[in-house]
């Protein structure tokens, strides 16, 4: 009796093993042939899809004589849009495609962009950007056909060979630039008359303090970072005024104070600090681009204001938590230009001269070897 039961159990196990093996084979075949099967079905039953496929094939057969278009599915806000547009132009140039932005996009309200189109190109294929702040050289070898890139494309390396053209694209509309000059002059005009340089400080707090941002991996820059960055800048540019903009200007007024820079055992007069009272982000952005040098915390808004100002830039080194999603998606040397100076919080709090000597040496080394 016991022997019969053992044989039955063995037979059941045998059936289970074969059944599991059969399911695994079916799943594997589905994974291998799913896309070709869907492609074949769409080719037969969808005239629009069939036309797009034939257009792509004809493009190859005609030795790429037909112009192709590339656009971007935009995400985020102003800084993200600017990064996407600049990278789009670089990718298009590298591939020989025609880039375009929909003419209804909000960026057109701020800049007289030249690469716009009133309607989408036909037969757009979607290509995905998996790591938003990491350079991917595969985008310089797009598949044939009209392309939509879904992602952020936030690396300066996508447009490093056409910087002058990007700066031309991002010249503010004349009325916005005139307004920004007038506003900035209202804040720091008296210091400009005395020959001061203007060093901007952009402080992002609001959304990076939320639980969602923390889970993503964002770190807000503490007051000690700004004190360190200001000390460093004053050693390089002692005759300066700091101009602060933020989405939390009251925190800035309480926490950002001009440090006393020490040199040759003498205490210099603290540099003036002026705070923007503007409630419109685009006004702050426009004024930031007109400053001589830049201190930024975290995010693309400050990044682009500093890049357009085109002076000396210090950024917050510890902007992401190690091991977080943001940390994975960001490659530092792809996101930040190599000649910008990274600075942690508190580095200059004890010995300003030592800190400044070290940072200047790093900056010179970066320029010499283009790291």
């Amino acid at each position: 009796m016991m022997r019969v039961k053992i044989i039955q159990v063995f037979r059941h196990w045998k059936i289970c093993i074969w059944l599991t093996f059969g399911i695994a084979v079916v799943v594997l075949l589905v994974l291998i042939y799913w896309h070709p099967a869907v492609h074949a079905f769409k080719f037969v039953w969808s005239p629009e899809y069939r036309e797009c496929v034939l257009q792509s094939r004809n493009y190859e057969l005609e030795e790429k004589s037909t112009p192709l278009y590339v656009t971007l599915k935009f995400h985020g806000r102003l800084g993200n849009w600017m990064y996407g547009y600049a990278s789009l132009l670089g990718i298009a140039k590298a591939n020989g495609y025609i880039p375009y932005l929909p003419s209804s996009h909000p960026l057109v309200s701020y800049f007289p962009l030249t690469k716009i189109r009133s309607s989408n190109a036909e037969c757009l294929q979607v290509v995905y950007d998996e790591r938003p702040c990491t350079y991917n050289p595969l985008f310089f070898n797009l598949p044939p056909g009209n392309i939509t890139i879904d992602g952020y494309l936030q690396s300066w390396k996508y447009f490093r060979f056409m910087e002058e053209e990007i700066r031309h694209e991002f010249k503010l509309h004349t009325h916005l630039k005139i307004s920004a000059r007038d506003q900035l002059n209202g804040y720091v005009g008296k210091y400009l008359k005395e020959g001061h340089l203007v060093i901007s400080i952009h402080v992002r707090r609001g959304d990076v303090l939320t639980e969602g941002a923390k889970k993503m991996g964002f770190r807000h820059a503490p007051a000690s970072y700004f004190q360190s960055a200001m000390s460093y800048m004053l050693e390089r540019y002692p005759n300066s005024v700091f101009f602060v903009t933020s989405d939390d200007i009251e925190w800035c007024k309480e926490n950002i104070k001009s440090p006393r820079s020490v040199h040759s055992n003498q205490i210099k007069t603290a540099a003036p600090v002026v705070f923007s009272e503007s409630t419109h982000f685009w006004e702050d952005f426009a004024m930031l681009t007109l400053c001589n040098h830049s201190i930024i915390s975290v995010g693309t808004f400050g990044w682009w204001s500093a890049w357009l100002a085109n002076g000396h830039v210090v950024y917050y080194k510890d902007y992401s938590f190690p091991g977080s999603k943001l940390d994975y998606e960001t490659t530092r040397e792809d996101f930040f230009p190599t000649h910008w100076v990274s600075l942690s919080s508190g580095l200059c709090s004890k010995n300003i001269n030592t800190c400044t000597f070290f940072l200047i040496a790093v900056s010179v080394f970066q320029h010499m070897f283009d790291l």
Side-chain angles (χ1 to χ4, degrees), residues 171-272:
K171 285 184 177 178
L172 289 163
H173 284 300
T174 303
H175 68 283
L176 295 178
K177 190 169 184 177
I178 292 173
S179 174
R181 284 195 184 282
D182 290 343
Q183 285 182 299
L184 186 61
N185 190 60
Y187 286 114
V188 299
K190 65 178 182 179
Y191 301 109
L192 292 175
K193 291 178 181 177
E194 296 171 0
H196 284 63
L197 296 175
V198 182
I199 301 173
S200 71
I201 302 177
H202 177 251
V203 183
R204 180 184 179 185
R205 283 180 56 80
D207 60 338
V208 297
L209 298 177
T210 64
E211 284 304 314
K214 290 177 182 177
K215 288 179 180 178
M216 178 78 175
F218 280 98
R219 271 178 170 170
H220 70 90
S224 56
Y225 158 71
F226 295 106
Q227 295 305 112
S228 298
M230 293 166 77
S231 296
Y232 165 66
M233 283 292 200
L234 282 177
E235 287 296 320
R236 292 183 66 98
Y237 312 106
N239 191 31
S240 297
V241 55
F242 292 104
F243 176 64
V244 184
T245 71
S246 176
D247 54 4
D248 188 356
I249 205 68
E250 294 305 316
W251 181 91
C252 296
K253 290 178 180 179
E254 293 177 7
N255 291 277
I256 295 182
K257 312 294 181 182
S258 182
R260 291 176 178 267
S261 56
V262 181
H263 185 64
S264 300
N265 297 321
Q266 294 181 355
I267 298 177
K268 292 183 178 180
T269 304

Side-chain angles (χ1 to χ4, degrees), residues 314-334:
V314 173
Y315 69 88
Y316 183 45
K317 182 179 182 180
D318 305 318
Y319 58 89
S320 67
F321 285 101
S324 65
K325 187 174 187 291
L326 179 64
D327 186 48
Y328 164 75
E329 292 178 345
T330 306
T331 301
R332 186 186 302 272
E333 59 269 25
D334 292 348

Side-chain angles (χ1 to χ4, degrees), residues 200 202 285 288-289 294 296 300-310:
S200 71
H202 177 251
F285 182 84
L288 289 171
T289 66
S294 310
I296 60 176
T300 53
F301 184 93
W303 193 103
W304 275 102
S305 69
W307 193 86
L308 291 175
N310 204 21

Side-chain angles (χ1 to χ4, degrees), residues 54-323:
L54 293 174
Q55 183 188 80
S56 179
R57 290 176 182 172
N58 290 337
Y59 176 72
E60 291 293 331
L61 293 173
E62 293 170 6
E63 298 181 352
K64 302 184 178 182
S65 60
T66 307
L68 293 180
Y69 295 88
V70 59
T71 188
L72 182 69
K73 183 178 180 181
F74 286 84
H75 302 271
R77 297 178 293 180
L78 180 65
N80 308 115
W81 301 337
M82 294 178 69
Y83 232 139
Y85 182 76
S87 296
L88 178 68
L89 266 58
I91 290 170
K93 189 170 186 177
N95 284 277
Y97 286 20
I98 300 174
Y100 75 89
L101 179 75
S103 56
S104 59
H105 196 278
L107 268 184
V108 180
S109 304
Y110 309 112
F111 309 104
L113 307 179
T114 62
K115 313 300 182 184
I116 59 173
R117 184 180 165 98
S118 58
S119 61
N120 268 326
E122 298 177 350
C123 305
L124 288 166
Q125 307 174 53
V126 181
V127 176
Y128 294 94
D129 177 23
E130 302 294 343
R131 297 179 68 190
C133 303
T134 296
Y135 171 71
N136 185 352
L138 293 179
F139 283 115
F140 284 173
N141 187 27
L142 292 174
N146 296 329
I147 302 292
T148 293
I149 301 174
D150 188 351
Y152 287 84
L153 297 177
Q154 294 180 163
S155 173
W156 59 273
K157 293 181 179 179
Y158 289 124
F159 52 88
R160 58 186 164 185
F161 49 85
M162 54 183 305
E163 181 176 318
E164 186 176 342
E165 184 176 343
I166 298 302
R167 292 189 184 281
H168 180 76
E169 289 286 322
F170 287 145
K171 285 184 177 178
L172 289 163
H173 284 300
T174 303
H175 68 283
L176 295 178
K177 190 169 184 177
I178 292 173
S179 174
R181 284 195 184 282
D182 290 343
Q183 285 182 299
L184 186 61
N185 190 60
Y187 286 114
V188 299
K190 65 178 182 179
Y191 301 109
L192 292 175
K193 291 178 181 177
E194 296 171 0
H196 284 63
L197 296 175
V198 182
I199 301 173
S200 71
I201 302 177
H202 177 251
V203 183
R204 180 184 179 185
R205 283 180 56 80
D207 60 338
V208 297
L209 298 177
T210 64
E211 284 304 314
K214 290 177 182 177
K215 288 179 180 178
M216 178 78 175
F218 280 98
R219 271 178 170 170
H220 70 90
S224 56
Y225 158 71
F226 295 106
Q227 295 305 112
S228 298
M230 293 166 77
S231 296
Y232 165 66
M233 283 292 200
L234 282 177
E235 287 296 320
R236 292 183 66 98
Y237 312 106
N239 191 31
S240 297
V241 55
F242 292 104
F243 176 64
V244 184
T245 71
S246 176
D247 54 4
D248 188 356
I249 205 68
E250 294 305 316
W251 181 91
C252 296
K253 290 178 180 179
E254 293 177 7
N255 291 277
I256 295 182
K257 312 294 181 182
S258 182
R260 291 176 178 267
S261 56
V262 181
H263 185 64
S264 300
N265 297 321
Q266 294 181 355
I267 298 177
K268 292 183 178 180
T269 304
V273 182
V274 180
F275 300 90
S276 170
E277 299 293 344
S278 174
T279 56
H280 301 290
F281 72 89
W282 59 267
E283 291 180 344
D284 276 344
F285 182 84
M287 287 189 285
L288 289 171
T289 66
L290 300 176
C291 296
N292 300 105
H293 307 290
S294 310
I295 297 171
I296 60 176
S297 53
V298 59
T300 53
F301 184 93
W303 193 103
W304 275 102
S305 69
W307 193 86
L308 291 175
N310 204 21
H312 196 71
V313 182
V314 173
Y315 69 88
Y316 183 45
K317 182 179 182 180
D318 305 318
Y319 58 89
S320 67
F321 285 101

